[in-house]
Amino acid sequence: MVSNMPSEEWAQEVEVAREVARNFYANAIGKLAVDYIRRLEPDALCELAESEAVKMISRIKEILDEDDAADPECFQRIDSIVSEFEWMGIYTLRHQ
């Protein structure tokens, strides 16, 4: 089937279709994740969260303990810590 739409309009239609497909996939993945989490025992979920928290705190300590950063490079250390928080989905206004 050949479209009679101008190419710009056709490109917009294709992009809309792709966006809809991405949203359907995201929704489906989200539902799978929620179903999986609901099946976890409360203790298993707590252990998982605690494990991730301990890993993040350990990484922050490693960053602060790095000997290769001089005092003027303290900003780099703080930036690295903020990046660790952001990687875990924890955002701060300080980094903007």
Side-chain angles (χ1 to χ4, degrees):
M1 180 176 162
V2 176
S3 173
N4 292 333
M5 283 191 236
S7 67
E8 185 177 311
E9 193 175 323
W10 175 253
Q12 288 174 346
E13 290 288 327
V14 168
E15 186 55 38
V16 167
R18 286 182 180 154
E19 184 64 26
V20 168
R22 282 191 290 267
N23 287 333
F24 277 117
Y25 287 130
N27 190 15
I29 290 169
K31 285 179 182 179
L32 288 171
V34 168
D35 288 344
Y36 174 77
I37 290 170
R38 284 185 181 151
R39 285 188 219 131
L40 288 175
E41 295 294 321
D43 290 341
L45 190 55
C46 288
E47 286 176 23
L48 180 62
E50 186 176 313
S51 173
E52 290 301 311
V54 168
K55 287 178 193 174
M56 186 176 76
I57 290 168
S58 294
R59 181 65 189 128
I60 290 170
K61 185 178 181 327
E62 288 174 15
I63 291 167
L64 291 172
D65 289 344
E66 288 175 0
D67 287 334
D68 60 342
D71 228 16
E73 295 172 354
C74 184
F75 175 81
Q76 293 295 343
R77 288 182 184 187
I78 293 170
D79 188 57
S80 295
I81 291 168
V82 171
S83 294
E84 285 293 316
F85 277 103
E86 289 177 347
W87 187 83
M88 294 297 296
I90 303 168
Y91 301 96
T92 176
L93 297 175
R94 284 262 185 218
H95 204 237
Q96 295 179 11

